[in-house]
């Protein structure tokens, strides 16, 4: 199976399905998902709650197991990919350990993966700089604002050598102004690190602003209803959100979301 | 900070203390008055009300000694006697303290070991927990003499049997607290470890253990107080010659009510001291683990 994938495909899913068995009967969290994420892509998953966007990300990360279909991550099964530490995962909450300083939090994956002390130090410094938190390494999480904490958690996911970054609504709990700022920073970071990013969100402007591709999903059963290639240039100042091009893509996303919803309400 | 702590902490505590002392004096008068009246009638003495009240507070073996009688007894037996003397409260407190600390240490270690087992092995979780809870429903006063007698029969005497009773009482809160503490990491924190492909040992040392530390100290505060009770109870039925418990027993035997109360006070002071020490260590550890200053 891995041989069939071109080397540029980072995530490749075909006919992927996941059914949770609950006491109320089976819940089809994902059904028939066909999707390929290529190296260097910034792919956003957008849809109402219950559409399976987070579940799909968790399947990539091997935090959930698919019950149907095929999926490969870096040409491996998700479990192999996890065991070879192929991805960094950013959760909805920062999930920093309160008893560790910011730099110790960033060191956590490095300690677990056995990086040397000198290497750890260099990587902490570099990733702190990447997320604009230089000088905050000795602080404890509670001394930082919510936005800074989430940036620290992104630094933690970037610290080790994984080319794939999985982000599950990382800015969902932050206010609009902070979110704009972090979106801008994330794009710069993506350009600098050349990582492949899968990004779950429920904000249309966020998805359009960030992505090279937008995957529109809808619930019951969770499925992909539309995949939109962005025509926006790679260089994106925040003002790009006022351009007709941007608004047109946003319009298409909105149409896609509405189509997925229409037949059940 | 300072005037704040005076207003918020010292004054409320002092208010309660003064009310307790006041109630105690009133109670002492009413408890001791009938016997004093008896004495006066037999000796055919008539005294003024003030003199009579004074006498109820100065009996050598009152039913309820007045606070100042207890305080002067405690003072005398704490500061005015050589610490090696059999009448010194310091000496008795030291004997009790040593078995308390030994028992507490063993109990804490046992409790932690049990908790680690319960958290990691499903079989232990199902099999051990009901027994642990059942163990605490056994009245310790009934168990203590048996423990001492059985151990005495196999030539284990002295400090260890007493300490074992403390262990028995103190492992429970630690085990329960640590089970809760080791299970306190949130799912998101465990998922994070999973994405790193962290081993079980790494998850244990880097996540579960640090997360459980606050729970450990909370349960240790309960455990150290229970250990002291265990040590005193261990001294009561065994004919021990030293310790707060033996002091209580001897004083009860000779109706030395003032001595009983003095020993009780010594025990309480010891308990407060031990809990405070654990609390201070907890605060230091919390600070070094990045705890937000309260």
């Amino acid at each position: 199976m891995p041989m069939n994938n071109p080397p540029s495909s980072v995530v490749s899913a075909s006919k992927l399905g996941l059914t949770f068995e609950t006491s109320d009967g089976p819940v089809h969290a994902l059904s028939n998902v066909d999707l390929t994420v290529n190296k260097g892509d910034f792919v956003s998953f957008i849809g109402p709650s219950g559409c399976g966007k987070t579940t799909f990300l968790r399947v990539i990360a091997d935090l959930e197991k698919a019950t149907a279909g095929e999926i490969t991550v870096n040409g491996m099964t998700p479990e192999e990919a996890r065991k070879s530490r192929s991805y960094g995962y950013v959760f909805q909450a920062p999930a920093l350990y309160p008893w560790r300083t910011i730099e110790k939090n960033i060191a956590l994956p490095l300690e677990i993966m056995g990086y040397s002390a000198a290497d750890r130090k260099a990587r902490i410094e570099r990733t702190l700089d990447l997320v604009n938190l230089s000088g905050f390494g000795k602080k404890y999480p509670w001394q930082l604002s919510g936005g800074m904490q989430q940036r620290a958690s992104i630094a933690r996911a970037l610290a080790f050598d994984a080319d794939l970054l999985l982000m599950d609504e990382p800015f969902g709990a932050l206010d609009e102004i902070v979110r704009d700022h972090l979106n801008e920073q994330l794009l710069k970071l993506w350009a600098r690190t050349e990582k492949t990013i899968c990004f779950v969100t429920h904000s249309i402007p966020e998805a359009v602003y960030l992505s090279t591709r937008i995957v529109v999903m809808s619930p019951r059963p969770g499925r992909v209803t539309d995949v939109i290639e962005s025509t926006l240039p790679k260089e994106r100042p925040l003002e790009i959100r006022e351009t007709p091009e941007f608004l047109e893509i946003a319009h298409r996303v909105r149409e896609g979301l509405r189509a997925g919803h229409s037949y059940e309400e | 900070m300072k005037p704040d702590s005076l207003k918020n902490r010292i004054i409320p505590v002092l208010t309660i203390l003064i009310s307790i002392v006041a109630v105690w004096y009133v109670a002492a008068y009413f408890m001791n008055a009938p016997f004093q009246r008896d004495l006066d009638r037999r000796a055919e003495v008539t005294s003024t009300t003030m003199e009579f009240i004074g006498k109820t507070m100065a009996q050598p073996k009152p039913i309820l000694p007045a606070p100042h009688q207890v305080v002067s007894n405690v003072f005398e037996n704490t500061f005015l006697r050589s610490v090696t003397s059999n009448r010194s409260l310091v000496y008795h407190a030291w004997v009790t303290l040593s078995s308390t600390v030994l028992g507490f240490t063993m109990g804490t270690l046992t409790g932690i070991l049990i908790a680690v087992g319960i958290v990691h092995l499903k079989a232990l979780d199902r099999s051990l927990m009901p027994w642990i809870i059942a163990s605490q429903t056994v009245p310790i006063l009934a168990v203590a003499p048996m423990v001492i007698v059985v151990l005495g029969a196999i030539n284990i005497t002295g400090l260890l049997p007493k300490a074992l009773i403390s262990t028995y009482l103190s492992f429970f809160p630690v085990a329960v607290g640590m089970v809760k503490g080791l299970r306190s990491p949130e799912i998101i924190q465990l998922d994070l470890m999973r994405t790193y492909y962290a081993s079980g040992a790494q998850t244990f040392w880097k996540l579960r253990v640090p997360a459980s530390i606050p729970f450990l100290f909370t349960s240790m505060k309960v455990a150290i107080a229970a250990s002291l009770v265990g040590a005193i109870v261990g001294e009561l039925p065994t004919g021990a010659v030293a310790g707060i418990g033996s002091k209580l027993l001897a004083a009860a035997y000779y109706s030395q009510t003032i001595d009983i109360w003095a020993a009780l006070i010594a025990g309480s002071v010891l308990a407060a001291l031990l809990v405070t020490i654990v609390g201070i260590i907890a605060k230091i550890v919390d600070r070094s683990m990045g705890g937000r200053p309260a």
Side-chain angles (χ1 to χ4, degrees):
Chain A
M1 197 58 199
M3 298 309 288
N4 299 345
N5 292 307
S8 66
S9 123
V10 177
V11 177
S12 171
S14 72
K15 304 238 175 306
L16 191 78
L18 195 159
T19 308
F20 292 112
E21 295 297 338
T22 70
S23 50
D24 293 340
V27 174
H28 301 285
L30 287 173
S31 107
N32 259 329
V33 174
D34 289 304
L35 190 77
T36 305
V37 176
N38 292 319
K39 192 162 171 38
D41 271 355
F42 195 127
V43 180
S44 283
F45 298 85
I46 190 166
S49 44
C51 73
K53 51 194 195 298
T54 294
T55 307
F56 185 61
L57 208 66
R58 289 176 65 88
V59 170
I60 299 173
D62 189 37
L63 294 173
E64 308 284 355
K65 301 262 189 231
T67 50
E70 300 280 343
I71 180 164
T72 62
V73 179
N74 278 349
M76 300 173 269
T77 66
E79 188 176 350
E80 286 164 352
R82 177 174 66 85
K83 288 183 176 173
S84 59
R85 283 131 179 183
S86 317
Y87 65 84
Y89 201 106
V90 179
F91 292 89
Q92 287 177 7
L96 298 168
Y97 291 1
W99 54 85
R100 283 176 173 250
T101 58
I102 296 303
E103 58 182 27
K104 289 275 182 203
N105 265 292
I106 297 172
L108 177 73
L110 303 175
E111 286 169 19
I112 289 169
M113 297 174 193
Y115 288 79
S116 74
D119 198 9
R120 286 208 297 262
K121 199 161 177 276
R123 280 165 186 271
I124 289 165
E125 215 151 290
R126 198 183 69 218
T127 47
L128 276 178
D129 178 53
L130 270 175
V131 298
N132 283 336
L133 279 179
S134 298
F136 289 94
K138 305 267 186 244
K139 299 267 188 224
Y140 281 98
W142 63 267
Q143 293 170 301
L144 268 57
S145 69
M148 289 163 98
Q149 287 183 23
Q150 196 52 286
R151 264 147 64 198
S153 92
I154 294 171
R156 183 179 58 187
L158 292 172
F160 53 99
D161 292 314
D163 296 328
L164 177 59
L165 190 58
L166 305 174
M167 307 179 84
D168 182 9
E169 295 188 41
F171 310 138
L174 305 175
D175 67 64
E176 190 105 17
I177 297 161
V178 176
R179 181 193 274 234
D180 278 356
H181 182 64
L182 291 184
N183 281 340
E184 209 178 3
Q185 285 191 333
L186 181 61
L187 271 188
K188 285 189 186 133
L189 193 145
W190 174 60
R192 270 173 78 183
T193 57
E194 296 178 324
K195 303 232 176 201
T196 308
I197 299 181
C198 293
F199 188 97
V200 167
T201 179
H202 50 225
S203 153
I204 297 173
E206 188 171 69
V208 177
Y209 176 70
L210 291 172
S211 321
T212 55
R213 281 162 81 209
I214 301 153
V215 178
V216 182
M217 298 181 76
S218 76
R220 282 172 291 268
R223 65 199 185 282
V224 174
T225 49
D226 197 3
V227 179
I228 301 161
E229 299 282 339
S230 177
T231 50
L232 296 175
K234 216 173 167 178
E235 193 71 32
R236 299 176 189 180
L238 275 175
E239 298 75 52
I240 205 167
R241 295 180 299 179
E242 325 286 326
T243 62
E245 212 178 348
F246 183 98
L247 295 174
E248 200 190 304
I249 300 170
H251 177 73
R252 206 181 137 189
V253 173
R254 195 167 285 117
E255 288 294 300
L257 288 172
R258 202 169 292 154
H261 248 326
S262 59
Y263 73 97
E264 54 176 334
E265 259 124 24
Chain B
M1 207 51 200
K2 275 280 175 240
D4 230 37
S5 69
L6 178 78
K7 206 170 165 189
N8 293 332
R9 289 165 171 233
I10 296 171
I11 289 182
V13 171
L14 229 62
T15 311
I16 296 294
L17 184 70
I18 290 168
S19 344
I20 289 175
V21 169
V23 170
W24 190 347
Y25 268 113
V26 174
Y29 168 76
F30 282 108
M31 299 290 284
N32 301 330
F35 181 62
Q36 193 61 47
R37 238 172 256 134
D38 233 25
L39 282 181
D40 284 4
R41 204 175 44 242
R42 275 186 227 167
E44 290 175 4
V45 203
T46 43
S47 42
T48 65
T49 315
M50 282 320 285
E51 273 171 0
F52 183 74
I53 291 174
K55 277 194 238 171
T56 62
M57 308 277 168
Q59 294 173 0
K61 291 183 178 182
I63 292 172
L64 180 64
H68 67 266
Q69 289 178 290
V70 177
V71 168
S72 78
N73 183 303
V74 169
F75 181 80
E76 198 179 308
N77 291 326
T78 304
F79 298 106
L80 304 183
R81 297 201 192 278
S82 127
V83 290
T84 53
S85 149
N86 191 31
R87 299 206 57 187
S88 164
L89 277 173
V90 178
Y91 167 72
H92 290 288
W94 171 253
V95 170
T96 303
L97 179 71
S98 52
S99 86
T100 300
V101 170
L102 179 65
F104 167 73
T105 310
M106 294 193 297
T108 302
L109 292 178
T110 313
I112 291 173
L113 276 179
I114 289 173
V116 169
I118 285 176
V119 169
H120 283 89
L121 301 170
K122 253 210 176 82
L124 279 186
D125 187 16
R126 300 234 176 95
S127 59
L128 217 49
M129 213 50 185
W131 287 108
I132 290 174
I133 291 165
S135 77
Q136 300 303 305
T137 64
V138 175
I140 188 65
L141 262 171
V143 175
M146 290 195 303
V147 171
I148 308 259
V149 168
V150 167
L151 289 177
I154 53 171
N155 274 328
I156 301 175
T157 51
L159 191 60
L160 195 62
K162 281 199 291 172
L164 278 177
I165 291 161
S166 296
T167 305
Y168 184 85
L169 285 180
S170 62
F171 88 93
F172 178 73
V174 174
V176 171
M178 280 302 278
V179 166
K180 211 173 163 197
L182 291 170
R183 283 186 179 152
S184 67
E186 292 164 41
I187 289 169
I188 196 170
Q189 291 174 321
L190 289 163
D191 273 351
L192 187 70
M193 285 307 218
R194 194 172 149 80
T195 70
Y196 299 152
Y197 188 41
S199 68
Q202 285 170 330
T203 307
F204 180 74
W205 289 111
K206 289 184 191 297
L207 176 58
R208 290 193 190 275
V209 168
S212 71
I213 295 297
F215 293 82
L216 175 65
F217 278 106
T218 308
S219 49
M220 269 163 65
K221 271 192 216 170
V222 179
I224 191 106
S227 286
L228 183 69
V229 171
I232 292 174
V233 166
E235 288 161 353
L236 277 179
T238 57
V241 285
I244 304 250
S246 80
K247 182 93 179 138
L248 277 172
L249 198 66
Y253 191 77
Y254 296 110
S255 309
Q256 305 279 9
T257 41
I258 301 178
D259 278 358
I260 295 180
W261 283 90
L264 281 177
I265 298 279
S268 313
V269 169
L270 200 56
L273 224 61
L274 288 170
V275 173
T276 308
I277 289 170
V278 174
I280 288 171
I281 296 171
K283 207 163 256 178
I284 292 169
V285 171
D286 181 58
R287 219 33 84 71
S288 76
M289 284 176 73
R292 193 194 294 243

